[in-house]
Amino acid sequence: MADETKTAKLTIGDKTVELPVFTPTAGPDVIDIRKLYGQAGVFTYDPGFTSTASCDSTITFIDGDEGVLLHRGYPIGELAEKSHYLEVCYLLLYGELPSPTELEDFEDRVTNHTMLHEQMMNFFRGFRRDAHPMAVMVGVVGAMSAFYHDSTDINDEWQREVASIRLIAKMPTIAAMAYKYTIGQPFVYPRNDLDYASNFLRMCFAVPAEDYVVDPILSRAMDRIFTLHADHEQNASTSTVRLASSSGANPFACIAAGIACLWGPAHGGANQACLEMLKEIGTPDRIPEYIARAKDKDDPFRLMGFGHRVYKNFDPRATVMKQSADEVLELLGVENNPTLQVAKELEKQALEDPYFSDKKLFPNVDFYSGIILEAMGFPTSMFTPIFALARTVGWISQWKEQLNDPQLKIGRPRQLYLGETQRSYTDIENR
Ligand code: CMC
C-alpha cells in the first residue's frame, strides 16, 4: 500500500470527515474512502468506475493524457520493438526482466505445458460447428478446473504457479482448436520445437495433409500482437477476473470469467467489430456517411476501434500496430489492401473532425490489429480469441498480485437504491 501523505476533508451537511490521501509512484493521488461509510454513513457513487481505483497494483501504468503505457516501468513501444511475448510474460508475472537462464527456464516450463488433456477434445466436439470460438473458449477454459485438480488450490503457492504456466501455455492450443473445430478441420497438436507465436500459427494453419512453414516475419508480427495485448491494468475483463477471484474461485474459473467479459464489442470484441465496420464502409467515398452516423446522437453506431476510457491521446499500442500493419501487408504483397486504405482515410478524416478531437477520441489498439490478422489468414471471429490468449498473462499476473495482497477482501460494491421502499404484499385477487 502507498504511503499516506495528505488528507482530504469531506463535508456532508454539518459533518466533516478526514480521509487519507495516497500518493502513487505515478498518476493522480487517490483518496482512501474505505472508512467513509463507517464515519459518515454515506456511500460513493461511481458506476463504470470512472474515478475509482479498485486496488493497488505494481504491474501496469497508463497515463491516458500523454498516451503512455508502461509494464513494470518499461514503455510498451520499447517492449514491442526489443523484447518478445514470453519475455514480457515473465516481466508481468515476476516483476523484472529475466536473465538468460531465467528466460530459458521459463520458456521450457511454458513449452512443456502446451498440450491439452486428451479427454478435453470431447468438450470441443460437444459444441456446434458454427459456435463462436469465444463461446468455445469460455467453456473449455472453465472446464480446465475439472481436469487440472492439482492446480486449483489458490492457497498453495506452487499450485498457483502451475496454474499460471498451464494457462499461458495452453491458451494458444485452445484458441487454435476452437478455430479448427469451427472450420471442420482436424486439431493440430502443439510442437515444442517452435516458439510461442510460430506454434500458434502452425496449430491454426497446418493440416495433416500439408504442414505449414511459418514465415519468421509473420511469426514476429503475431508475437508483437500478443505483446501489445498482454496487459492493460484494471480494464473490464481484468477487473472481472479480480472480482471473480476475490471470492476464492479457482484460477480457471476466474480466467473463463475474464474471457466472457472480453468478448463484448466495447472491449475485446471491438477488433472483430472494427474490421466488419471497415469492410461495410468498403470504399473511401462512403467514409463521410459513417462519420456522420458516429456523430449522430440518435444513431447508436460508433466508430469501432476509436475512443478509450483511459487514453485521451493516441493509444501507444495503436501506433505500433499501424506500423506493423504496413510491414505485414507489404510482406504479403497486399499493401494496396482496400481495407487498409479505408482505415487510413477514416483515421485521417476522423482526426480532422472537431467531434473526435473535442472528445479526445483517437484510434485504439483494435483499429489496425484486425487488418493484420485478416492478412495473416484469420477470420474475424478469431480476432477476439487471439486477444484473449494474449491477455491471459495480464489476467494471471493481476490475479496472483491480488492473492498476495494481505488486505484482500471479497469485492462487494454498494448501490444507490432507487426502487420502492418497504410495502406489504397484496394478495393476487386484490390486484
Ligand atoms: N464513436 C463515436 N463517438 C464516440 C466513440 C466512438 N467510437 N467513443 C466515444 N464516443 C463519444 C460518446 O458518444 C460520448 O459522447 P457524449 O459525451 O456526447 O455523450 C463520449 O464520446 C464519451 O464516450 P463514453 O462512452 O462515455 O466513453 P467511455 O469511456 O465510457 O467508453 C469506449 C470508452 C472504448 C467503450 C468507447 O470509446 C467505445 O465504445 N469505442 C468503440 C469500441 C472500441 O473501440 N472499444 C475498444 C477499446 S480498446 C481495447 C479494449 O480495451 O478492449
Side-chain angles (χ1 to χ4, degrees), residues 232 235 262 265-268 270 294-295 297 301-310 312 315 317 355-356 359 361 364-366 387:
H232 213 225
N235 56 83
L262 186 79
H267 193 6
K295 289 159 58 175
K297 281 268 155 264
F301 173 77
R302 284 186 168 197
L303 278 193
M304 300 315 287
F306 250 79
H308 198 274
R309 167 62 61 79
V310 182
K312 301 302 166 196
D315 178 340
R317 301 168 301 171
Y355 173 91
F356 293 91
K359 292 186 192 300
L361 300 169
N364 60 47
V365 67
D366 291 324
F387 191 159

Side-chain angles (χ1 to χ4, degrees), residues 170-376:
K170 294 185 199 308
M171 207 57 95
T173 315
I174 294 173
M177 286 183 172
Y179 171 52
K180 286 296 196 190
Y181 184 74
T182 60
I183 56 169
Q185 288 186 2
F187 298 136
V188 175
Y189 287 82
R191 251 189 37 198
N192 288 357
D193 58 328
L194 294 176
D195 63 77
Y196 193 84
S198 304
N199 193 29
F200 175 63
L201 287 170
R202 187 180 162 276
M203 285 191 289
C204 288
F205 297 124
V207 285
E210 198 176 322
D211 204 4
Y212 173 81
V213 181
V214 185
D215 186 310
I217 299 185
L218 290 189
S219 162
R220 176 81 190 119
M222 188 78 259
D223 189 87
R224 194 176 274 177
I225 288 180
F226 292 160
T227 301
L228 292 175
H229 287 91
D231 190 46
H232 213 225
E233 55 119 300
Q234 309 313 320
N235 56 83
S237 56
T238 302
S239 300
T240 301
V241 170
R242 279 187 178 258
L243 194 57
S245 143
S246 76
S247 72
N250 76 67
F252 306 111
C254 296
I255 301 303
I259 297 173
C261 177
L262 186 79
W263 194 357
H267 193 6
N271 49 16
Q272 172 170 355
C274 180
L275 196 84
E276 284 164 1
M277 173 195 78
L278 293 172
K279 284 185 177 298
E280 189 183 306
I281 297 175
T283 47
D285 58 302
R286 298 190 61 205
I287 290 172
E289 176 197 331
Y290 281 81
I291 289 192
R293 283 188 59 197
K295 289 159 58 175
D296 181 355
K297 281 268 155 264
D298 299 323
D299 188 332
F301 173 77
R302 284 186 168 197
L303 278 193
M304 300 315 287
F306 250 79
H308 198 274
R309 167 62 61 79
V310 182
Y311 293 118
K312 301 302 166 196
N313 198 326
F314 261 88
D315 178 340
R317 301 168 301 171
T319 315
V320 182
M321 205 63 95
K322 188 177 179 180
Q323 260 173 24
S324 221
D326 281 330
E327 281 167 24
V328 170
L329 268 52
E330 194 189 324
L331 168 85
L332 297 172
V334 282
E335 56 271 51
N336 294 326
N337 172 306
T339 318
L340 182 66
Q341 303 312 323
V342 171
K344 286 189 170 170
E345 187 55 30
L346 177 61
E347 176 186 344
K348 184 170 165 284
Q349 291 190 27
L351 292 177
E352 283 166 358
D353 190 308
Y355 173 91
F356 293 91
S357 49
D358 291 353
K359 292 186 192 300
K360 301 193 167 135
L361 300 169
F362 293 91
N364 60 47
V365 67
D366 291 324
F367 195 67
Y368 285 103
S369 64
I371 294 171
I372 308 178
L373 291 172
E374 190 192 49
M376 283 176 161

Side-chain angles (χ1 to χ4, degrees), residues 22-44:
F22 296 127
T23 301
T25 48
D29 285 352
V30 172
I31 304 172
D32 176 3
I33 56 163
R34 281 174 297 175
K35 298 209 170 111
L36 180 64
Y37 178 58
Q39 288 177 358
V42 292
F43 297 144
T44 54

